[in-house]
Amino acid sequence: MQPQIYLLSDGTGITAETLARTLITQFEGLHPGWHLRPFVRGPQQLDELFERMRAGPQPALAVATFADAELRQQLRQCPIPVLDIFSDHLEQLEQVFGRKAESVSGRAHGIGDIARYDRRIEALNFTLAHDDGLATGDVGHAEVVLMGVSRSGKTPTCLYLAMNYGMFAANYPLIPEDLRGDTRLPGSLRGLRNRLLGLVISPERLADIREGRRPGSRYASLPQCRAECLAIDEFLFRERIPRLDVTHLSVEEIATRVRAELA
Amino acid sequence: MQPQIYLLSDGTGITAETLARTLITQFEGLHPGWHLRPFVRGPQQLDELFERMRAGPQPALAVATFADAELRQQLRQCPIPVLDIFSDHLEQLEQVFGRKAESVSGRAHGIGDIARYDRRIEALNFTLAHDDGLATGDVGHAEVVLMGVSRSGKTPTCLYLAMNYGMFAANYPLIPEDLRGDTRLPGSLRGLRNRLLGLVISPERLADIREGRRPGSRYASLPQCRAECLAIDEFLFRERIPRLDVTHLSVEEIATRVRAELA
C-alpha cells in the first residue's frame, strides 16, 4: 500500500512539498499519493482536512508549514503523523538569533519585498529577451552569459536562475557557422569575459536530446553532434572560457554550479 | 550582528536553502549572510568547512541536507548549531513507511528519473513555444491555458508551472483588439474550455507594472489599463471562463492556485 502524503500550509505549501519530495527520494520505489492543501486559513478548514485524513487510506503522513501559531497548536490533534516543520525548527533558530519568531502566514512565497519580487520578474524578462543571442543592445547587463550548442541546457538554466534568484542570465547559442576554426568571441561579449561560461555535453547525450526534438534529422545525428561538440571545445579553449560538463547534470545542478562559479 | 547561515549539502542544497529562507521569513529585518556550500562529497571537505565556520563571525547556523550517512555522522562535530534536516525527519518517515531510508546523495535535484526529467524540459519547450498565443498547432496538448492582458503574469506563471511541475502550460494574451464587445473565444481554444483560466488584475497594479516596462507610455497609462481590465472582465464573463485575481499574488501563489484549480 503506497502512503498518502498531505502537504498542509497557510501559504503555498512549496516549502512543505520541496522538503517532502526530498525526503521521499531516500525511499526508492515509493510512490505516495500527494494531497496538496495550500492556503489553509482557519481552524475549521483544518478540522475538515483532519476528517478526510481519518477517513482516507493509511499509512498517511502530513508535512506542514504553518506560520500561524494557532494552526500549529491545532496540528497536535492531527489523526496521522505530522512533520511540523515550523515547530520543529523555529525554536532552534530563536536560540541562535536570540529573539522570538513571528507568526505571519504567506511570507515565504508571497510577493514579500516588492522591489525584490519585481527584480525577479525583470530578470525573467531580461532572460526571455536574451534567449537567443544578443537580440537587444543591453546584454552588458547580464550577470552571466551561458554559451553552448543548441540543446545543451542554456535556456532552461537561464530561466531557472532568473526565476529563482533574480539573476540576469543571457545565453549565447553557438551554431555550426559560429564554430569554424577562426571564429572569435563577438565584440559585445568581450567586455563580459568574467561572466562567460561554456556548457559542454557528450555527443551521445546531445544526440539523445535532439532526437527527442527532431527524430531522424541530420541535426540529431551523432556525427553532427560530434562535430559541434568538438568545435565548441576548441572555441572555448581558444577563447579561454571556463567550461562546465553538463552531460549528467539537471537544470538545478547546472544552476547551482553557475551560482557557485559566480560567488 | 547579522547571523551567518551555511547551507550544506551533498546535492544542490536547494532544499536546505528553501527551508532556511522560509524559516527566516519569521524574523523580520533579519538579513543573514548566506554561504551556499553544495556538492560536499567527502569528510575532508566538510572538515575544512568546519574550520571556516569556527574562524568566521558569530552567531552562525548550519542548515544541512546530507543524504550520506557518514557526513551526517560527522555533522555532530560541527562547531556551530545545525539543523540536520535528514536526521531530524527520516526516522519519522521510516516509522510511517515501515522501511529503512537509503542514503543516496544527489537524488532530490539531480536528473533522477530521466523520463520525468525530460518531460519537464519538454514542458518548458512547449511553454516557450506557446508563450505568445497559438503560434503552433498543438495547443491542444496544453494542460492549462492562461488568458489575460499584457503583464498580468501569464508568462512567468506558465514557465514556473512547466519548470517545476512539468506542466504543459500555454498562455493566450488578450490584446486590446481582442477585447471588443463582440470578441469570442478563438476556435482552437473552444475544445479546451475546462483548461482555461483568466488572470485578472487591478488597473492600478497593472499600470505600475507596465510603467516599469515602458515609462510614460499610453500602454502604461491608467485609463488604458482600466479599459483593458474592464474589457477582459466582460470577455471572461461572456465566455464563462473562471478567473483568478492576481493583484496581490506572486508567481508561486498563482501557480499554486492553478494547480489546485486543476486538481
Side-chain angles (χ1 to χ4, degrees):
Chain A
M1 193 70 172
Q2 292 288 351
Q4 308 301 311
I5 299 186
Y6 294 83
L7 303 166
L8 310 177
S9 180
D10 45 1
T12 59
I14 289 172
T15 304
E17 183 167 9
T18 302
L19 181 62
R21 288 194 186 270
T22 294
L23 293 169
I24 288 302
T25 62
Q26 298 303 311
F27 299 88
E28 192 152 27
L30 203 71
H31 299 289
W34 294 98
H35 308 268
L36 183 60
R37 297 294 179 265
F39 307 119
V40 173
R41 285 287 158 94
Q44 197 185 337
Q45 204 183 339
L46 190 51
D47 268 336
E48 286 166 15
L49 286 171
F50 288 170
E51 275 312 306
R52 279 196 226 168
M53 293 170 184
R54 202 172 279 121
Q58 306 295 330
L61 170 78
V63 179
T65 49
F66 285 130
D68 184 273
E70 286 180 26
L71 291 172
R72 284 216 298 279
Q73 185 75 22
Q74 197 181 344
L75 268 182
R76 297 185 190 172
Q77 295 149 36
C78 184
I80 62 176
V82 185
L83 294 197
D84 176 358
I85 311 294
F86 276 50
S87 298
D88 286 353
H89 299 300
L90 276 183
E91 202 175 313
Q92 198 174 354
L93 265 65
E94 288 174 342
Q95 283 172 15
V96 174
F97 303 153
R99 53 178 277 199
K100 280 302 222 185
E102 292 127 33
S103 297
V104 182
S105 304
R107 275 192 186 163
H109 293 99
I111 286 185
D113 173 354
I114 198 151
R116 187 163 177 266
Y117 179 79
D118 284 349
R119 191 187 144 86
R120 279 175 57 206
I121 300 298
E122 206 189 320
L124 199 56
N125 292 330
F126 177 89
T127 293
L128 287 169
H130 296 83
D131 180 35
D132 202 5
L134 316 170
T136 65
D138 63 344
V139 71
H141 294 141
E143 294 169 78
V144 65
V145 182
L146 300 184
M147 313 186 82
V149 299
S150 167
R151 297 294 138 187
S152 54
K154 302 178 302 299
T155 296
T157 304
C158 284
L159 291 171
Y160 190 90
L161 287 166
M163 175 88 73
N164 290 289
Y165 308 113
M167 194 177 283
F168 282 56
N171 91 56
Y172 187 72
L174 290 160
I175 56 173
E177 292 70 39
D178 286 333
L179 293 169
R180 282 186 305 241
D182 54 350
T183 305
R184 305 304 307 237
L185 200 59
S188 55
L189 293 181
R190 289 215 191 111
L192 302 175
R193 280 208 162 273
N194 56 347
R195 295 175 235 168
L196 304 180
L197 185 67
L199 304 187
V200 298
I201 185 170
S202 81
E204 290 75 17
R205 171 79 178 136
L206 183 63
D208 262 3
I209 296 170
R210 289 185 174 183
E211 185 66 24
R213 292 286 283 179
R214 294 200 218 148
S217 64
R218 180 162 175 277
Y219 166 81
S221 72
L222 195 51
Q224 175 68 23
C225 291
R226 277 211 185 102
E228 289 186 39
C229 288
L230 181 63
I232 195 175
D233 245 27
E234 291 173 352
F235 172 81
L236 296 172
F237 179 79
R238 201 158 59 234
E239 295 289 349
R240 293 193 298 275
I241 295 167
R243 72 190 62 204
L244 176 64
D245 185 342
V246 302
T247 305
H248 302 291
L249 301 184
S250 69
V251 168
E252 285 81 356
E253 288 170 325
I254 305 171
T256 301
R257 289 188 191 270
V258 170
R259 287 177 81 201
E261 194 80 22
L262 297 176
Chain B
M1 192 70 174
Q2 293 288 351
Q4 307 302 310
I5 299 186
Y6 295 83
L7 303 166
L8 310 177
S9 179
D10 45 1
T12 60
I14 288 172
T15 304
E17 183 166 9
T18 302
L19 181 62
R21 288 193 184 270
T22 295
L23 293 168
I24 287 302
T25 62
Q26 298 303 310
F27 298 88
E28 192 151 28
L30 203 69
H31 300 290
W34 294 98
H35 307 270
L36 184 60
R37 297 294 179 265
F39 307 120
V40 173
R41 284 289 156 94
Q44 196 185 338
Q45 204 183 340
L46 190 51
D47 268 335
E48 286 165 15
L49 287 171
F50 288 171
E51 275 312 306
R52 279 196 225 166
M53 293 170 182
R54 203 172 278 123
Q58 308 293 329
L61 171 78
V63 180
T65 49
F66 286 131
D68 184 274
E70 287 179 27
L71 291 172
R72 285 216 298 279
Q73 184 76 20
Q74 197 182 343
L75 268 182
R76 298 187 190 171
Q77 296 149 36
C78 184
I80 61 175
V82 185
L83 295 196
D84 177 357
I85 311 294
F86 275 50
S87 298
D88 286 355
H89 299 301
L90 276 183
E91 204 175 312
Q92 198 173 354
L93 265 64
E94 288 175 341
Q95 282 171 17
V96 174
F97 303 153
R99 54 178 274 200
K100 281 302 226 184
E102 292 126 34
S103 296
V104 182
S105 304
R107 273 192 187 163
H109 293 99
I111 287 186
D113 174 355
I114 198 149
R116 188 164 176 264
Y117 179 79
D118 285 350
R119 190 187 145 86
R120 279 175 58 207
I121 300 300
E122 205 191 322
L124 199 56
N125 291 330
F126 177 90
T127 292
L128 287 168
H130 297 84
D131 179 36
D132 203 5
L134 314 173
T136 65
D138 62 344
V139 71
H141 294 140
E143 292 170 79
V144 64
V145 181
L146 300 184
M147 313 186 81
V149 299
S150 167
R151 298 292 138 188
S152 53
K154 303 178 303 298
T155 296
T157 304
C158 284
L159 290 172
Y160 190 90
L161 287 167
M163 174 88 74
N164 291 289
Y165 308 114
M167 194 178 281
F168 281 55
N171 91 57
Y172 187 72
L174 291 159
I175 57 174
E177 293 68 41
D178 284 333
L179 293 169
R180 284 184 305 241
D182 54 350
T183 304
R184 305 304 306 237
L185 199 60
S188 54
L189 293 181
R190 289 214 191 113
L192 303 175
R193 281 207 162 275
N194 54 348
R195 295 175 235 172
L196 304 180
L197 186 66
L199 304 188
V200 299
I201 185 168
S202 83
E204 291 75 18
R205 171 77 179 139
L206 183 63
D208 264 3
I209 296 171
R210 290 183 172 184
E211 185 65 25
R213 292 284 286 180
R214 294 200 217 148
S217 65
R218 180 165 176 274
Y219 167 80
S221 72
L222 194 52
Q224 175 67 23
C225 291
R226 277 210 185 102
E228 289 186 37
C229 289
L230 181 63
I232 195 176
D233 245 26
E234 291 173 353
F235 171 81
L236 295 172
F237 178 80
R238 200 160 58 238
E239 293 288 350
R240 293 191 298 276
I241 295 168
R243 71 189 63 202
L244 177 63
D245 185 342
V246 302
T247 304
H248 302 290
L249 301 185
S250 68
V251 168
E252 286 80 357
E253 289 170 325
I254 305 170
T256 300
R257 288 188 193 272
V258 169
R259 287 177 81 199
E261 193 81 21
L262 296 177

